[in-house]
Amino acid sequence: MSVRDELTTYEENTWCPGCGNFGIFTAFKGAIKELENRGVKKSHVLITAGIGCHGKIFDYLNLSGFYSLHGRAVATAQGMKLGNPDLYVVAFVGDGDAMGEGLEHVLFAAKRNADITIIMHNNGVYGLTTGQFTPVSPKGFKGPSTPFGSVEEPLNPIKLVLDAGATFVARGYSAKIKELTNIFVEAILHKGFSFVDVLQPCVSFNDTYELYNKNTFFVDKIATTKEEAIEISNVQDKIPLGIFYKEDKPVHHELLLEGKNLFKESLTKEKWLQKIREFLNI
């Protein structure tokens, strides 16, 4: 069970003991506290999530937001940002949720350089529905839907979002909480589309703790080109962690809204009623 604090709700936590989601939960709460230290108000951080084990984090975090649908959290996050550009919007997604049903939303948000942060809980399975393979599961993965092993090659999420136009791309590991916290902070503060792929073992259907504990390492510098970042993400014998790429580029809401804030410029209830009266000649 997580320690109760001001960022933890009173909802019963139903993640399996040892689930990698606990590490993401802890790291994100640490990131919120660090952001507050840097002048970001907690009330200005809004969250959304898809459907799956990852999505339960929405229930456990004591932050404002809007629960989304399976594969639609990224679209929801873009709407929230366009509604009020002053907000820091974070979408929690699963690997099946984002790389399957919601892939088109992820790619177009990256293409637009939408100023939102995507945190992908990557456990390689649909854990909530008992462990079916996902678009990022390794070839040969055996599960309820692939009992003889998947014959498909997995997608590379890092390469996909970089090719699409992401301006901040990183990978973390849920058992490396301090480093993951720092990645979250940098991702949220980045002005542009931030994508964080978090390796998150599913102890019930895809326990990868031993694999990640032995085979992960942190890169010592940020790539200067997307091609270099993609090359890093393609490393096979060891799994790189850290911030792979960062770029300054115009963001979607500023290009689209030209400096407007629809939330701040919206009419009050009294003014709306007055407009209606004028229209109806009352």
Side-chain angles (χ1 to χ4, degrees):
M1 292 295 292
S2 56
V3 177
R4 188 74 62 194
D5 54 44
E6 73 278 5
L7 286 170
T8 304
T9 69
Y10 283 87
E11 288 291 327
E12 179 185 1
N13 194 308
T14 58
W15 284 327
C16 300
C19 176
N21 280 320
F22 283 104
I24 297 175
F25 183 52
T26 300
F28 191 78
K29 290 194 296 180
I32 295 298
K33 293 176 182 178
E34 176 59 25
L35 288 168
E36 287 185 296
N37 292 336
R38 299 194 189 191
V40 176
K41 295 180 180 179
K42 183 174 67 174
S43 59
H44 280 54
V45 179
L46 262 65
I47 60 174
T48 186
I51 303 299
C53 289
H54 80 274
K56 296 179 182 181
I57 200 169
F58 185 92
D59 298 320
Y60 307 149
L61 280 169
N62 189 22
L63 293 169
S64 298
F66 191 88
Y67 222 141
S68 191
L69 301 173
H70 201 201
R72 306 296 178 251
V74 177
T76 302
Q78 290 179 81
M80 293 160 74
K81 184 67 180 185
L82 288 172
N84 187 351
D86 291 344
L87 303 175
Y88 296 83
V89 182
V90 180
F92 296 97
V93 299
D95 53 296
D97 174 66
M99 295 290 107
E101 293 85 345
L103 179 59
E104 71 278 21
H105 296 302
V106 174
L107 296 181
F108 274 91
K111 173 180 177 291
R112 297 176 181 127
N113 196 29
D115 189 15
I116 58 177
T117 299
I118 309 302
I119 296 176
M120 188 172 82
H121 301 224
N122 186 349
N123 58 19
V125 292
Y126 287 98
L128 194 63
T129 53
T130 69
Q132 294 84 355
F133 88 117
T134 76
V136 303
S137 301
K139 186 175 182 179
F141 178 84
K142 294 182 179 181
S145 58
T146 53
F148 301 106
S150 168
V151 298
E152 301 179 19
E153 294 288 346
L155 294 177
N156 180 336
I158 300 295
K159 183 178 186 300
L160 279 172
V161 296
L162 281 168
D163 279 339
T167 53
F168 183 102
V169 178
R171 181 187 287 138
Y173 173 29
S174 62
K176 301 286 185 181
I177 294 175
K178 179 181 178 181
E179 293 84 357
L180 186 58
T181 299
N182 293 334
I183 289 174
F184 286 164
V185 170
E186 294 302 317
I188 294 169
L189 289 177
H190 174 71
K191 191 173 182 180
F193 183 83
S194 298
F195 182 86
V196 184
D197 176 21
V198 186
L199 304 179
Q200 176 252 306
C202 172
V203 291
S204 296
F205 303 109
N206 192 25
D207 190 345
T208 49
Y209 276 115
E210 184 177 357
L211 172 67
Y212 295 152
N213 288 340
K214 291 182 178 179
N215 295 288
T216 54
F217 72 99
F218 284 93
V219 296
D220 54 7
K221 64 178 182 178
I222 301 174
T224 56
T225 66
K226 289 188 177 182
E227 291 73 20
E228 184 184 348
I230 290 172
E231 186 177 344
I232 293 171
S233 75
N234 280 327
V235 172
Q236 298 294 322
D237 54 338
K238 293 286 187 178
I239 305 170
L241 305 174
I243 299 173
F244 295 168
Y245 186 73
K246 188 175 181 180
E247 175 189 1
D248 292 325
K249 188 178 177 181
V251 293
H252 181 241
H253 71 269
E254 290 182 351
L255 295 172
L256 184 66
L257 301 178
E258 299 180 332
K260 296 178 181 179
N261 185 314
L262 301 180
F263 173 73
K264 289 183 176 180
E265 297 176 20
S266 61
L267 298 177
T268 63
K269 178 181 178 181
E270 291 72 21
K271 289 184 178 180
W272 270 116
L273 290 174
Q274 181 60 34
K275 289 282 186 181
I276 293 172
R277 292 189 188 97
E278 292 174 0
F279 178 76
L280 297 176
N281 293 319
I282 297 177

